[in-house]
């Protein structure tokens, strides 16, 4: 529907002004302002010096003759120059039919993939260090973005850029060998705790005896040179860390597709960095300063990026460059690459991307950093440095406990509610914004929360189930609807009979359903899952409002009942699809 309107609008603008403009339709914030709105009259007004309102009227007049062909009820010019489109009830009802016919896939979604493939890299925790709330945010937001890209036709690769390499492993290995007990760590419920304690111990001891730094350097050198003992302990650190990571990923229902499901960590690119430095040198992009190598940017747009340290060692940035070169070679040049990493690395990613453009590897638009803000706790900003680390396992457990009080259902349902609540809290606002962690807000049943939306979904399902158990639909039911009864739900064709005039609550819901596909598309264009959250929250509120005002199962007339059941089912389908795109389960009951 949106596409056909856009096409017409473009043609009309071309005819009236002989100009190409960006005629995209958007969804009005206020549902009473129509189903779609265009600001094209402002664009034309600006370039031609005409009054936008006059332009809007001209365009509106052109549409008058084709309303019925485009299934429009009306097109309106609204001050100071908007053009608002109202779909006919008939086409709103057709959209509902489409939704009912497409329980698996978002009805009417377009293929928007700008490249055939996309890599979404998220989570990326560090080995032998705690999985932080930052990694938690990255995991949730990255997973949602990957799902959204899939929905619009990208072939998506899910990667995890583990921090599994670096000089800190020299310290870690020295500490394990000196003060650690491998068997104890092996048996530990949370080996990362032991490793962190050993790491802290190293720093305490090194303050007293600076010699230790030298020992650590030696161990890292050994690790680099492939010394079996160093490699063995390093691998142990990875396996121990995954004991924790796997548990978290499993709870969250998140996974990765690359490198056997573990993702390509930094260590994978060890040995792949020399050619990168060479290429940078050949292309004249690095300057050497006392042995260190740095990339400088035109007009000093950004501070220089170091790619080789004075002592010749490689860095995080060197490994990122090797990663992105590998991606081109491994997946092909036609690829979108998204890194979901905290906002504090924004400047770094600008430097990295710019370097990659200068190298001619990628073009702008192909590299995207989606940054997330900090997690704050009601008690104040949390600090990992002082040892008061937040252990995510504990947060997940606590969420489950609280969710159990909320939903009287089974443990399985409590888990779905708990994870839904935590994820929603992370997704409901723009990723770059900080999040205040507040249990009451996360698990509220009366506001913008995961459980609120999940609950609206369970309502739709309980109505449909009851409808199935009762006499369904009476005499007005169409033969198709009866034959579909075995699908377990009241899926029907022609749910809206011409004899029935929907109420305003019903019309609003129909309108809201039309917005679903464009909303998903907008979320992809902005790499912003919060757009979907906003939509689902509004839809859930509208449904609750309808549910309170109207009788569904005990509706007076059959046409009423049939329509309301169809509408309820449509809302259920969209709520579930939307939640699933966000990585959130839609429980059947709570
Ligand atoms: N391991 C890093 C950290 O914890 C995040 C890695 C992000 N990804 C990347 N390609 N640099 O800060």
């Amino acid at each position: 529907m949106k596409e056909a309107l856009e096409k017409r609008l473009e043609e009309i603008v071309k005819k009236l002004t002989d100009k190409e403009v960006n005629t995209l339709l958007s969804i009005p914030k206020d549902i009473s302002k129509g189903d779609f709105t265009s600001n094209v009259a402002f664009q034309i007004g600006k370039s031609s010096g005409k009054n936008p309102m006059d332009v809007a009227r001209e365009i509106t007049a052109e549409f008058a003759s084709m309303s019925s062909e485009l299934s429009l009820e009306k097109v309106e010019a609204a001050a100071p120059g908007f053009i608002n489109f109202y779909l006919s009830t008939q086409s709103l009802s057709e959209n509902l039919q489409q939704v009912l016919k497409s329980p698996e896939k978002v009805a009417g979604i377009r293929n928007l993939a700008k490249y055939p493939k996309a890599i979404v890299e998220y989570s990326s925790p560090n080995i032998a260090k705690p999985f932080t709330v930052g990694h938690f945010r990255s995991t949730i937001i990255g997973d949602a973005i990957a799902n959204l890209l899939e929905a619009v036709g990208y072939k998506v690769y899910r990667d995890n850029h583990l921090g599994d390499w670096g000089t800190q492993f020299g310290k870690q290995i020295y500490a394990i060998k000196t003060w650690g007990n491998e068997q104890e760590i092996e048996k530990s419920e949370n080996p990362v705790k032991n490793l962190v304690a050993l790491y802290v111990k190293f720093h305490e001891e090194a303050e007293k005896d600076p010699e230790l730094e030298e020992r650590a350097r030696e161990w890292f050198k050994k690790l680099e040179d492939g010394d079996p003992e160093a490699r063995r302990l390093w691998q142990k650190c990875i396996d121990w860390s995954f004991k924790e990571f796997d548990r978290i990923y499993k709870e969250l229902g998140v996974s990765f597709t690359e490198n056997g499901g573990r993702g390509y960590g930094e260590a994978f690119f060890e040995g792949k960095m020399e050619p990168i430095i060479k290429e940078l040198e050949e292309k004249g992009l690095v300057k050497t300063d006392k042995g260190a190598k740095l990339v400088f940017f035109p007009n000093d747009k950004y501070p220089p990026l170091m790619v080789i340290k004075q002592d010749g060692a490689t860095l995080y940035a060197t490994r990122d460059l090797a990663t992105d070169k590998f991606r081109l070679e491994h997946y092909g040049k036609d690829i979108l690459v998204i890194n979901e990493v905290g906002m504090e690395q924004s400047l770094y990613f600008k430097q990295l991307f710019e370097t990659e453009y200068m190298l001619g590897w990628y073009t702008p638009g192909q590299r995207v950093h989606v940054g997330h803000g900090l997690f704050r706790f009601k008690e104040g900003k949390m600090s990992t440095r002082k040892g008061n680390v937040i252990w995510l396992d504990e947060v997940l457990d606590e969420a489950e406990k609280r969710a159990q009080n909320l939903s009287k259902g089974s443990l399985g349902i409590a888990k779905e509610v708990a994870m839904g609540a935590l994820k929603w809290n992370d997704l409901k606002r723009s990723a770059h914004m900080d999040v205040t962690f507040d249990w009451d807000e996360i698990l509220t049943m009366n506001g913008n929360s995961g459980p609120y939306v999940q609950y609206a979904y369970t309502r739709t399902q309980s109505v449909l189930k009851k409808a199935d158990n009762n006499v369904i639909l009476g005499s007005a039911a169409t033969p198709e609807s009866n034959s579909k009864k075995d699908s377990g739900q009241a899926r029907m064709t022609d749910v809206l009979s011409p004899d029935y005039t929907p109420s305003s609550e019903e019309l609003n819901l129909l309108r809201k359903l039309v917005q679903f596909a464009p909303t998903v598309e907008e979320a992809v264009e902005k790499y912003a899952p919060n757009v979907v959250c906003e939509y689902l929250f509004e839809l859930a509120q509208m449904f609750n409002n309808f549910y309170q005002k109207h009788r569904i199962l005990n509706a007076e007339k059959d046409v009423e009942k049939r329509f309301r059941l169809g509408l309820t089912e449509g809302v259920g389908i969209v709520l579930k699809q939307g939640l699933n795109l966000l990585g959130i389960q839609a429980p059947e009951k709570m």
Side-chain angles (χ1 to χ4, degrees):
M1 261 172 274
K2 187 174 175 229
E3 219 173 359
L5 275 183
E6 277 174 339
K7 202 166 147 252
R8 271 315 156 83
L9 187 54
E10 250 164 64
E11 284 164 15
I12 291 174
V13 168
K14 182 107 183 116
K15 180 177 141 198
L16 291 178
T17 66
D18 203 37
K19 275 195 187 102
E20 307 272 344
V21 280
N22 182 11
T23 57
L24 285 186
L25 294 177
S26 56
I27 301 166
K29 273 266 156 268
D30 173 358
I31 209 156
S32 71
K33 300 264 160 59
D35 297 296
F36 299 109
T37 185
S38 169
N39 65 6
V40 68
F42 297 102
Q43 300 177 46
I44 297 169
K46 207 168 176 191
S47 61
S48 66
K50 277 199 204 165
N51 178 346
M53 194 57 193
D54 292 339
V55 180
R57 282 205 192 91
E58 263 181 76
I59 296 176
T60 311
E62 289 286 325
F63 269 103
S65 61
M66 42 181 118
S67 303
S68 65
E69 170 206 342
L70 288 171
S71 321
L72 290 168
E73 185 182 288
K74 60 176 177 187
V75 184
E76 222 173 48
F82 292 101
I83 306 167
N84 298 337
F85 298 83
Y86 295 78
L87 296 174
S88 66
T89 308
Q90 161 75 17
S91 69
L92 293 176
S93 145
E94 274 162 25
N95 177 71
L96 173 58
Q97 309 288 359
Q98 295 303 325
V99 171
L100 294 175
K101 271 191 234 143
S102 181
E104 302 299 332
K105 195 173 164 262
V106 179
I109 191 101
R110 291 183 276 175
N111 187 321
L112 288 187
K114 290 188 204 122
Y115 305 90
K117 300 173 180 175
I119 297 171
V120 186
E121 179 213 279
Y122 52 95
S123 197
S124 309
N126 301 316
I127 297 299
K129 296 214 182 123
F131 192 105
T132 67
V133 283
H135 301 120
F136 184 66
R137 295 210 71 193
S138 172
T139 309
I140 291 167
I141 299 168
D143 177 55
I145 290 177
N147 297 339
L148 287 165
L149 292 187
E150 252 159 22
V152 301
Y154 283 94
K155 164 93 184 106
V156 174
Y157 302 88
R158 297 160 184 261
D159 202 4
N160 192 350
H161 194 71
L162 298 164
D164 53 4
W165 200 251
T167 48
Q168 75 272 20
F169 283 96
K171 299 175 187 173
Q172 193 74 59
I173 293 171
Y174 178 85
I176 298 170
K177 291 202 75 76
T178 315
W179 308 291
N181 177 338
E182 278 186 56
Q183 267 136 17
E184 211 172 87
I185 307 176
E186 192 80 47
K187 274 189 285 174
S188 167
E189 256 304 292
N190 192 339
V192 175
K193 279 190 185 163
N194 303 48
L195 294 175
V196 170
L198 285 168
Y199 195 64
V200 170
K201 169 106 176 152
F202 178 90
H203 286 278
E204 283 165 6
E205 297 294 325
E207 288 231 330
K208 294 180 234 156
D209 179 6
E211 258 300 289
L212 295 195
E213 297 283 353
E214 195 43 47
R215 299 285 91 77
R217 259 193 293 279
E218 284 164 16
W219 271 112
F220 183 61
K221 182 84 178 55
K222 281 191 184 177
L223 180 63
E224 278 186 305
D225 295 343
D227 173 83
E229 178 64 358
R231 289 272 162 165
R232 185 184 70 79
L233 283 168
W234 167 76
Q235 186 60 49
K236 279 273 168 214
C237 286
I238 296 176
D239 296 341
W240 287 330
S241 295
F242 264 94
K243 207 165 155 185
E244 185 193 358
F245 299 170
D246 279 338
R247 198 156 56 211
I248 294 171
Y249 294 143
K250 192 165 159 243
E251 288 278 305
L252 292 177
V254 167
S255 58
F256 303 90
T257 56
E258 299 316 280
N259 201 20
R262 284 237 169 140
Y264 292 109
E266 292 183 44
F268 181 82
F269 302 98
E270 204 232 328
K272 292 187 168 57
M273 286 176 283
E274 244 177 65
I276 306 297
I277 301 299
K278 221 179 185 177
E279 188 175 340
L280 282 167
E281 278 171 340
E282 275 164 17
K283 293 185 173 163
L285 296 173
V286 275
K287 285 191 189 132
T288 306
D289 181 23
K290 300 193 205 89
K293 291 187 202 299
L294 300 121
V295 176
F296 283 79
F297 300 99
N299 308 320
D300 294 326
K301 190 164 158 189
Y302 309 119
L305 177 69
M306 191 182 282
V307 291
I308 292 286
K309 283 202 242 178
Q310 269 185 29
D311 62 3
T314 59
L315 298 103
Y316 179 61
T318 331
R319 289 186 280 281
D320 258 326
L321 286 170
T323 306
D324 290 327
K325 176 79 181 200
F326 168 79
R327 286 170 172 164
L328 290 175
E329 286 162 359
H330 190 70
Y331 305 91
K333 277 194 149 305
D334 236 1
I335 193 154
L336 172 71
V337 183
I338 300 174
N339 306 81
E340 206 313 333
V341 188
M343 285 296 283
E344 68 281 0
Q345 296 191 33
S346 288
L347 172 62
Y348 167 71
F349 277 102
K350 284 186 184 141
Q351 296 169 305
L352 179 70
F353 295 175
E354 194 68 29
T355 306
E356 293 174 359
Y357 305 149
M358 294 188 329
L359 279 159
W361 293 354
Y362 291 91
T363 50
Q366 248 184 314
R367 294 293 285 111
V368 177
H369 171 216
V370 177
H372 57 255
L374 290 175
F375 231 48
R376 290 170 198 281
F377 287 77
K378 251 186 150 176
E379 300 77 46
K381 190 176 178 281
M382 61 155 230
S383 147
T384 28
R385 230 171 297 151
K386 297 196 191 101
N388 54 344
V389 176
I390 306 285
W391 293 95
L392 266 172
D393 279 358
E394 287 163 18
V395 175
L396 298 181
D397 286 349
E398 179 70 20
E400 260 166 48
K401 250 187 246 144
R402 288 177 186 250
Q404 244 166 323
N405 295 335
L406 198 69
S407 69
K408 291 144 235 108
S410 67
L411 190 66
I413 291 173
K415 265 188 202 284
E416 291 185 3
V417 173
M419 295 310 123
L422 288 173
K423 288 184 179 190
W424 188 274
N425 185 52
D426 248 36
L427 294 167
K428 72 175 177 182
R429 39 182 113 49
S430 291
H432 68 267
M433 285 173 59
D434 292 350
V435 175
T436 303
F437 196 91
D438 173 356
W439 283 117
D440 295 333
E441 182 192 332
I442 292 174
L443 286 152
T444 178
M445 289 300 260
N446 314 309
N448 190 344
S449 74
Y452 178 87
V453 178
Q454 286 175 320
Y455 188 66
Y457 173 75
T458 63
R459 264 191 173 163
T460 64
Q461 298 312 292
S462 79
V463 170
L464 294 169
K465 224 177 250 135
K466 280 190 200 134
D468 244 7
N469 296 336
N470 291 329
V471 213
I472 225 183
L473 303 174
S475 55
T478 57
E480 290 96 308
S481 72
N482 285 329
S483 68
K484 290 233 173 102
K485 252 172 80 179
D486 54 352
S487 76
Q489 307 229 307
R491 190 164 302 131
M492 293 152 276
T493 52
D494 291 330
V495 284
L496 184 57
S497 140
D499 322 331
Y500 181 66
T501 314
S503 67
S504 66
E505 291 81 32
E506 290 162 340
L507 273 175
N508 279 349
L509 271 179
L510 283 175
R511 297 216 132 93
K512 199 69 191 166
L513 292 182
V514 171
Q515 295 176 358
F516 184 47
T519 298
V520 172
E521 293 170 5
E522 184 188 331
V524 171
E525 250 146 40
K526 297 182 175 162
Y527 306 110
N530 63 297
V531 171
V532 176
C533 289
E534 273 156 36
Y535 170 86
L536 292 178
F537 180 49
E538 283 166 20
L539 178 63
Q541 282 175 307
M542 280 183 179
F543 179 74
N544 285 340
N545 192 24
F546 155 77
Y547 182 87
Q548 262 147 33
K549 288 217 171 111
H550 299 282
R551 289 184 301 184
I552 304 174
L553 293 166
N554 303 320
E556 265 168 46
K557 297 189 211 96
D558 277 338
V559 281
E560 236 169 43
K561 179 171 166 182
R562 186 167 70 181
F563 170 63
R564 288 178 188 163
L565 278 173
L567 189 57
T568 300
E569 186 176 353
V571 170
I573 288 174
V574 167
L575 285 175
K576 181 175 183 162
Q577 287 177 345
L579 285 170
N580 290 348
L581 283 172
L582 298 171
I584 298 175
Q585 303 282 318
E588 298 295 310
K589 53 174 189 232
M590 270 168 79

